[in-house]
Amino acid sequence: MIPRYSRPEMARIWEPENRFRIWFEIEAHACDAQAELGVIPKEAAKAVWERGKWEIERIDAIERETKHDVIAFLTNLAEYVGPEARFVHQGMTSSDVLDTCLAVQMKQASELLLADLDALLAALKRRALEHKMTPTIGRSHGIHAEPTTFGVKLAGHYAAFDRARQRLLAARDEIATCAISGAVGTFANIDPAVEAHVAKKLGLKVEPVSTQVIPRDRHAMFFAVLGVIASSIENLSTEIRHLQRSEVREAEEYFSPGQKGSSAMPHKRNPVLSENLTGLARIVRAAVTPALENVTLWHERDIAHSSVERVFGPDATIALDFALARLTGMIDKLIVYPEAMQANLDRYTGLVHSQRVLLALTQAGLSREDAYQAVQRNAMKVWLEGKDFLTELMADPSVSAKISKAALAECFDLGYHFKHVDTIFRRVFGG
Amino acid sequence: MIPRYSRPEMARIWEPENRFRIWFEIEAHACDAQAELGVIPKEAAKAVWERGKWEIERIDAIERETKHDVIAFLTNLAEYVGPEARFVHQGMTSSDVLDTCLAVQMKQASELLLADLDALLAALKRRALEHKMTPTIGRSHGIHAEPTTFGVKLAGHYAAFDRARQRLLAARDEIATCAISGAVGTFANIDPAVEAHVAKKLGLKVEPVSTQVIPRDRHAMFFAVLGVIASSIENLSTEIRHLQRSEVREAEEYFSPGQKGSSAMPHKRNPVLSENLTGLARIVRAAVTPALENVTLWHERDIAHSSVERVFGPDATIALDFALARLTGMIDKLIVYPEAMQANLDRYTGLVHSQRVLLALTQAGLSREDAYQAVQRNAMKVWLEGKDFLTELMADPSVSAKISKAALAECFDLGYHFKHVDTIFRRVFGG
Amino acid sequence: MIPRYSRPEMARIWEPENRFRIWFEIEAHACDAQAELGVIPKEAAKAVWERGKWEIERIDAIERETKHDVIAFLTNLAEYVGPEARFVHQGMTSSDVLDTCLAVQMKQASELLLADLDALLAALKRRALEHKMTPTIGRSHGIHAEPTTFGVKLAGHYAAFDRARQRLLAARDEIATCAISGAVGTFANIDPAVEAHVAKKLGLKVEPVSTQVIPRDRHAMFFAVLGVIASSIENLSTEIRHLQRSEVREAEEYFSPGQKGSSAMPHKRNPVLSENLTGLARIVRAAVTPALENVTLWHERDIAHSSVERVFGPDATIALDFALARLTGMIDKLIVYPEAMQANLDRYTGLVHSQRVLLALTQAGLSREDAYQAVQRNAMKVWLEGKDFLTELMADPSVSAKISKAALAECFDLGYHFKHVDTIFRRVFGG
Amino acid sequence: MIPRYSRPEMARIWEPENRFRIWFEIEAHACDAQAELGVIPKEAAKAVWERGKWEIERIDAIERETKHDVIAFLTNLAEYVGPEARFVHQGMTSSDVLDTCLAVQMKQASELLLADLDALLAALKRRALEHKMTPTIGRSHGIHAEPTTFGVKLAGHYAAFDRARQRLLAARDEIATCAISGAVGTFANIDPAVEAHVAKKLGLKVEPVSTQVIPRDRHAMFFAVLGVIASSIENLSTEIRHLQRSEVREAEEYFSPGQKGSSAMPHKRNPVLSENLTGLARIVRAAVTPALENVTLWHERDIAHSSVERVFGPDATIALDFALARLTGMIDKLIVYPEAMQANLDRYTGLVHSQRVLLALTQAGLSREDAYQAVQRNAMKVWLEGKDFLTELMADPSVSAKISKAALAECFDLGYHFKHVDTIFRRVFGG
């Protein structure tokens, strides 16, 4: 991922330092288990831990010759460990190291993403509580519908990211398996106890059947979950973009003093963060299809999946980490304009109460069809001619015959719409 | 989905009969709850259950005029229910009906798919146990590696579909929510108790925040899980395609007596089922990206997601149901050729034991590098010149200096590779 | 594709009647060529044309037994043609018939889509000319930027669909090839002259190398082009959705008298057509990835691509045909509100002229940086406090020191922005 | 793109040096045109060319403050150019610079990719001619079908990449447009003559309607074409992977002396390049869907597309460049084993001639159905029991009654299949 969309902590997971460190731990823990089984000398295992070192440039140099990264690493490791190095990697295959390492990296990435989600959830909760009762117009199809509160909007997004969190937990657990099973996964040359030991030490579960590789449906599921989370980010970002558009202006991204909106139009304050999040969501989602295609391997394994993972393993997790953090900051500092929300709510003079009038008319004995026509007839005068809805209704004999003016006026009470906000908040935030 | 890839039980879920039946139940259960709350007369709720009927053609006729399917249904329902029909759908919006119905349909579809998976798992288990100890060559990169058993291959696929089952269970539970919350999800005109009642009756959970619609990240997750399952299908199908190719012929799809393989070449028996499954996997996966794009809605809702769901709701579930059933039948009747497996295993006269020799040499004191070179040197004579591996090794002084002929010969024992098959089977099938 | 999104003319292309008709023509033309070459008797070719008939149900019945559609068709054809039927299909393989037929169907589909595009282009041109000089605010990032005209907006979309037309022409020509080359494409049992004859008769080009099948990169390109066109549809639809939202209301989809917007809120007029087009775009695009995956075939061919094409061949072309027609109708009847456009344009009292002021200040000798700050300082008062932009500028000494009030006022002339509209229209519509 | 899959020449196109160089040229050429129009002093334009310089670190520093890359560049440029810098960028917007620059970069990338394709085509042609008459078994569904030549296989792939070249030419021309049209594309503050001049100087065409940005359907088409080319790469790579598998071994990737195939199994020579190409194809294709989603912009523009292009502009072109070069090298050095091809061809003792026998029987007067059954009956004995096809046919009375032994034997002539290889080669390579 390009630096522009990277944060150091997530990027570090995918850097050679971390990868070789994990490789070393896998090999060294495996040596311990092998020593415990009596397959290799205990001193050898000890030597590995004590003298085990490596140097990235040296590994690169060896790899250029051997064209094989794990052999290059082992060769360099042997240069430090000395003769005991011949006991390292016994009965193992490169994939045992590579796939278990990838599992550790994806687990580490998951932990960061979970922390990102926690921060986002906290920001959303804070802003939702702050605006729990801030009236705003609810819109379906971009058209004014009925009143809601800005807090309810945010609570809905909170709930979505709470689901995201649950899914990521499951995906993390699915991905966190260890495979040390040898050439085609039969443990011919290595005891399953080695795998069990390494798994335990690295906080992984044992992969039940690894045919040299960890099966790629696990990875596909992981990237699919990232894709769904990315889509929820786009959903919230799109809401902000809408709220900031010139004709709505109910909320705005924070605009720092030095920032310039447009080289040509100095007055402009653009929702560039949320637009950027829309693009980042596409970037994260781009990993889903290749990951699905990666599931199919030839027989016990081929290496077609590898390049995809080398690129999208880092790219998808780094971009998502960046996006979640950006979104959190954006929500945290979002400038909200309750007056503008109220003004938009009042824009069509009471039309938002049309359904309540419809219900009142039905309850007063009008057939649903007649009530609907009466309401639509008067609503259209508001919509098209800018008339006042309550006035029109009161003047309509087919309405006034069924319902008193006082009762009609009561239908225009905004508070009526918010009586269950508490219920919704309790569902989302508990308590 | 075209009839060619449809099975009636799954198709039925998506047909108007089932949809309208669910709509009716939602409305009728809602009436019960409303009556219980005293919002509508108990007789009205009773009347709905007693006289509630509808006719598809009539609904279609009304929809052609109103261009609104739920209104068309309610109008037709009212024609049967009579005056009490005005109490139906009170405080509700079309989406309350549509989205809850979709949840029920996806839950029903999930149940069928779970049953499909159970049947597939049973078939895989049966064949895996049957061939638990059938030797076959394990292949990485399409190249002979080390021996495994055909049962271990199948056990790996069993484990993958067992994971598929777990994911589908989670996806089903995520999708199975009920929303009856009115215009923009504020319950302004309907008590949350109605939603709770309908949810309970339909076996759903209550949707915490429905902004008129059930949030689409749930559906995205559902389709993503179908996509991952489809990829596992492609993985197993590709294995079968490979095993059936002329040069391998270790297994073959069952070929019925009347069947014709090729209009031009009468001798041909093609793996057309597994090839077809590869295509079906692509079809199911095609729903994933649109479902991810569907997550973003404008404000409280728009209708952009609807057409996608009308098409891919049925298409993805029907194609997956068909594919799972086809795969089950294919595995069930798969013709396995153990002799051919053994013949392929013996093809490169002992080369499959190269790693064991490598290990023996290392344990006998050779450095890893020297051992690797000794093995590779002799292996290449087998690979390129067709020599016998054991003979070559015995004739190589750098090898014979370290290891006796008897010990070398022992390295060529096939049983050595299968000593942990029990462990693998226990992990997968328990017991 | 479900009937809801199908139009009969396009659907017909994919129905059995059309397919078997094309199969027959391929076989009959091939017989003519074979007769001409002396390979089969001329009477046989004549008999095929004269007595050639088939019956869909009968073919289906045979296929249920043989599990092979082309053999089923040929068997049924033979029942009508009689003994001379043994000369039919000589040296050919099923794929010769299937792939050439698919080419004809895709060509037919392309012709309909080209006609759809022509109709859309005509509607866009008409409305663009009608609103060539209708002022409207141009928006970047959803924020008011500078004036443009509604005609220029539409001209841009016209240009996009004109490009779509060019791409579809190219894709049609790429897809329109004929393959009659026998088992693995070597013409072992059939002369290339047969292929040349059939190609000519069906308006196709000869496929240079068909390895039993027409290579699938052609089809992938075709579906990719459909996907790009679908995206252009989504782009225009999104514009309409924005213009119709309650706070903008510069344009509205036509709303027929009987139509109902919402079962709960009778006043609502929703942009349901353009929202639907957004969903349809996703459906068409869903075919792109499977089509790309279809390019890879095993050796000379496998059948994995077939199911994908059976589903997405019809689905993508039918959905796109429907979407283009719907879009054309929508543009054709679109209700445009020039007064609302003007009102929105005037919303931020002159802010749209900020860049022109910036330029004037630079030309008057201010550094770009200073000019930018002067303009932004005053623009922010308009944006945040609702001040009048011209008044503020005139009152700012650092501005008035550089530029006279008269010159400033001149910067606020709307016509200034439209002086090159003619140029743009000439580029797009010529003349 | 990670260095592992990058080649310097393509990477350089996307590096800051190249980008700023293009930005500078756009600005400087624009100044020339503005000077020619008399809008700015000729000396100013001259000063820009003469003193125009910039420094990447300085630009980065300014951008960190202004959060706007074009303003940062212009500010740094002004530091070198001096007071005349105020005439730079007049009437332009950032997008004029960014989008025109992207067009230049994509054009440059296209030129490299076209050269890559030329090299690949040359390699394919050379190997195709070399193996024009090398017999090999054609396979459909992975099952032996009829003989073809290895040259014909390669000629088919040549034709596919020749189509790729045509598509890329078209995509390059589509993408190569220049937009210098100001804030919302109306040329309010800049004469269209400036755009025409810059376009000419940079080898671009003028964008007919740029609404601040160049419309993204052009970019979508570009990435879609890259995706189709990637799929053709996967197709050829899959062929090689199949040919190299242990049971087939008709061809092998070149294996350099120092290279190691497996850390555990020293004898292994794996088709790792072609497996890697399969993965790279997925990476390139991953750009297609985001590019299609990028087409939809809000009104005159939003910035959602930008991050996607920052990532996939480089990634897709760099990965494709790398993949094409790797594929070219792989084809160039591919080790072909004609004897193995012949051995595989002979594997099923004459079964490959079954269709020819079928035809001979039909021509001898047997009905198609009877002939089919006779051939299938005897073919199955070969297939299942390993019998010799010709012997079995001669011994079958229903066959020998119709056709002499000599005539039967003639059906087994291999050369018969290759009589039209010249025709195919002429179609592909001309001459």
Side-chain angles (χ1 to χ4, degrees), chain A residues 233-256 259-262 265 267-280 326-327 330-331 333-335 337, chain C residues 139-145 242 245 380 383, chain D residues 67-68 212 297-299 301-307:
Chain A
I233 292 176
E234 186 186 2
N235 191 24
L236 176 48
S237 303
T238 302
E239 177 71 28
I240 304 301
R241 290 171 65 188
H242 275 298
L243 295 181
Q244 187 160 348
R245 52 174 301 153
S246 295
E247 295 87 358
V248 179
R249 280 186 76 194
E250 298 185 356
E252 273 187 328
E253 295 178 7
Y254 178 73
F255 198 80
S256 70
Q259 201 174 340
K260 286 189 180 176
S262 151
M265 293 163 287
H267 70 279
K268 293 199 56 178
R269 297 174 64 159
N270 302 324
V272 288
L273 297 180
S274 42
E275 289 180 357
N276 173 254
L277 288 168
T278 301
L280 290 170
R326 170 157 283 187
L327 180 59
M330 209 246 285
I331 292 299
K333 298 204 258 177
L334 188 73
I335 307 166
Y337 299 112
Chain C
R139 296 168 181 95
S140 54
H141 315 278
I143 307 296
H144 285 195
H242 276 297
R245 51 173 301 150
M380 280 304 145
W383 192 247
Chain D
K67 298 188 182 168
H68 197 300
Q212 186 169 106
L297 299 178
W298 284 25
H299 297 304
R301 79 82 48 93
D302 65 63
I303 199 92
H305 59 91
S306 168
S307 54

Side-chain angles (χ1 to χ4, degrees), chain D residues 2-260:
Chain D
I2 57 178
R4 194 179 191 94
Y5 306 129
S6 297
R7 300 202 308 160
E9 219 182 332
M10 183 64 91
R12 210 172 292 130
I13 289 175
W14 302 101
E15 277 160 15
E17 286 76 6
N18 190 49
R19 185 169 69 249
F20 292 137
R21 175 80 218 163
I22 300 170
W23 287 11
F24 172 72
E25 291 186 7
I26 294 168
E27 297 285 4
H29 286 306
C31 284
D32 281 348
Q34 293 278 45
E36 190 65 35
L37 288 165
V39 175
I40 69 168
K42 295 217 168 177
E43 301 75 49
K46 215 175 143 204
V48 170
W49 283 111
E50 279 172 2
R51 297 200 294 274
K53 273 175 58 182
W54 56 91
E55 204 197 354
I56 295 177
E57 278 111 75
R58 176 74 186 124
I59 296 172
D60 288 349
I62 305 174
E63 190 185 346
R64 272 192 294 278
E65 197 198 331
T66 58
K67 298 188 182 168
H68 197 300
D69 50 5
V70 174
I71 291 179
F73 171 77
L74 292 172
T75 305
N76 180 225
L77 187 70
E79 290 168 350
Y80 288 103
V81 171
E84 283 90 347
R86 72 183 183 281
F87 297 109
V88 175
H89 197 66
Q90 257 194 34
M92 292 166 65
T93 174
S94 306
S95 295
D96 290 334
V97 180
L98 292 169
D99 271 22
T100 300
C101 174
L102 181 58
V104 173
Q105 287 174 300
M106 294 179 97
K107 188 162 171 271
Q108 291 174 340
S110 301
E111 306 296 351
L112 286 189
L113 293 172
L114 286 165
D116 291 341
L117 281 169
D118 287 339
L120 174 59
L121 288 167
L124 281 167
K125 183 176 181 178
R126 186 175 70 73
R127 303 307 303 263
L129 291 172
E130 176 188 347
H131 291 287
K132 182 175 174 183
M133 299 309 285
T134 304
T136 192
I137 182 68
R139 296 166 180 97
S140 55
H141 315 278
I143 307 296
H144 285 194
E146 301 209 338
T148 185
T149 77
F150 191 58
V152 168
K153 270 182 193 267
L154 294 179
H157 289 284
Y158 180 97
F161 286 104
D162 200 34
R163 287 191 290 277
R165 203 184 183 288
Q166 297 308 313
R167 291 175 200 131
L168 187 55
L169 277 173
R172 181 199 62 183
D173 291 350
E174 257 217 73
I175 212 69
T177 69
C178 173
I180 301 197
S181 57
V184 294
T186 50
F187 302 96
N189 299 308
I190 196 152
D191 196 279
V194 178
E195 185 180 57
H197 175 77
V198 176
K200 195 181 162 194
K201 286 293 176 182
L202 297 175
L204 305 173
K205 270 180 279 184
V206 153
E207 178 63 50
V209 193
S210 49
T211 59
Q212 186 169 106
V213 289
I214 293 176
R216 256 50 196 178
D217 58 297
R218 294 186 185 272
H219 306 70
M221 197 63 223
F222 182 81
F223 286 106
V225 164
L226 300 195
V228 177
I229 298 175
S231 294
S232 288
I233 291 175
E234 187 186 1
N235 191 24
L236 176 49
S237 303
T238 303
E239 177 72 28
I240 304 303
R241 291 171 63 186
H242 276 297
L243 296 181
Q244 186 160 350
R245 51 174 301 151
S246 294
E247 296 87 357
V248 178
R249 278 186 77 194
E250 299 185 355
E252 274 188 329
E253 295 179 8
Y254 177 74
F255 197 79
S256 70
Q259 201 174 339
K260 286 188 181 176

Side-chain angles (χ1 to χ4, degrees), chain B residues 82-372:
Chain B
E84 283 89 349
R86 73 183 180 281
F87 296 109
V88 175
H89 197 66
Q90 258 194 34
M92 292 166 64
T93 173
S94 307
S95 296
D96 290 333
V97 180
L98 293 169
D99 271 21
T100 301
C101 173
L102 182 58
V104 173
Q105 288 174 299
M106 294 178 99
K107 189 161 171 273
Q108 292 175 340
S110 301
E111 307 296 353
L112 287 189
L113 293 172
L114 286 165
D116 291 341
L117 281 169
D118 286 339
L120 174 58
L121 288 168
L124 281 167
K125 184 176 182 178
R126 186 176 69 74
R127 303 308 302 265
L129 291 172
E130 176 187 346
H131 291 287
K132 183 175 172 183
M133 299 309 285
T134 304
T136 192
I137 181 69
R139 296 166 180 98
S140 54
H141 315 276
I143 307 297
H144 285 195
E146 301 210 336
T148 185
T149 77
F150 192 58
V152 169
K153 270 182 192 265
L154 293 179
H157 290 284
Y158 180 97
F161 286 104
D162 200 33
R163 287 191 290 277
R165 203 183 181 286
Q166 297 308 315
R167 292 177 200 130
L168 187 54
L169 276 173
R172 181 200 61 184
D173 291 351
E174 256 217 72
I175 212 69
T177 69
C178 173
I180 301 197
S181 56
V184 294
T186 50
F187 302 98
N189 299 307
I190 195 152
D191 196 280
V194 177
E195 186 181 56
H197 176 77
V198 176
K200 194 180 161 194
K201 286 292 176 184
L202 298 175
L204 305 173
K205 270 180 280 184
V206 154
E207 178 63 48
V209 193
S210 50
T211 58
Q212 185 168 110
V213 289
I214 292 175
R216 255 51 195 178
D217 57 297
R218 294 186 185 274
H219 306 70
M221 197 63 221
F222 182 80
F223 286 106
V225 164
L226 302 195
V228 178
I229 299 175
S231 293
S232 289
I233 291 175
E234 186 186 1
N235 191 24
L236 176 48
S237 303
T238 303
E239 177 72 28
I240 304 302
R241 291 171 63 186
H242 276 297
L243 295 180
Q244 186 159 349
R245 50 173 303 152
S246 295
E247 296 87 358
V248 179
R249 278 185 78 194
E250 298 185 356
E252 274 187 331
E253 295 178 8
Y254 178 74
F255 198 79
S256 69
Q259 202 174 338
K260 285 188 183 177
S262 152
S263 66
M265 293 161 289
H267 70 279
K268 292 200 55 176
R269 296 174 63 160
N270 302 324
V272 289
L273 297 181
S274 42
E275 289 180 356
N276 172 254
L277 288 168
T278 301
L280 290 171
R282 292 173 190 157
I283 293 171
V284 175
R285 284 202 299 257
V288 177
T289 295
L292 289 170
E293 293 173 341
N294 266 359
V295 174
T296 295
L297 298 179
W298 285 23
H299 297 305
E300 275 59 43
R301 77 84 45 94
D302 66 62
I303 199 92
H305 60 90
S306 168
S307 54
V308 171
E309 291 161 2
R310 282 179 196 270
V311 171
F312 287 111
D315 276 15
T317 53
I318 292 173
L320 184 56
D321 168 64
F322 181 88
L324 285 168
R326 170 157 284 186
L327 179 60
T328 301
M330 208 246 284
I331 292 299
D332 215 52
K333 298 203 259 178
L334 188 74
I335 306 166
V336 180
Y337 300 110
E339 314 76 31
M341 289 180 180
Q342 187 66 50
N344 282 333
L345 194 53
D346 295 337
R347 192 184 180 102
Y348 296 106
T349 66
L351 216 56
V352 296
H353 303 292
S354 65
Q355 188 186 199
R356 199 170 169 202
V357 174
L358 178 70
L359 279 174
L361 287 171
T362 325
Q363 282 160 351
L366 231 57
S367 80
R368 198 179 152 75
E369 273 302 283
D370 288 347
Y372 191 95

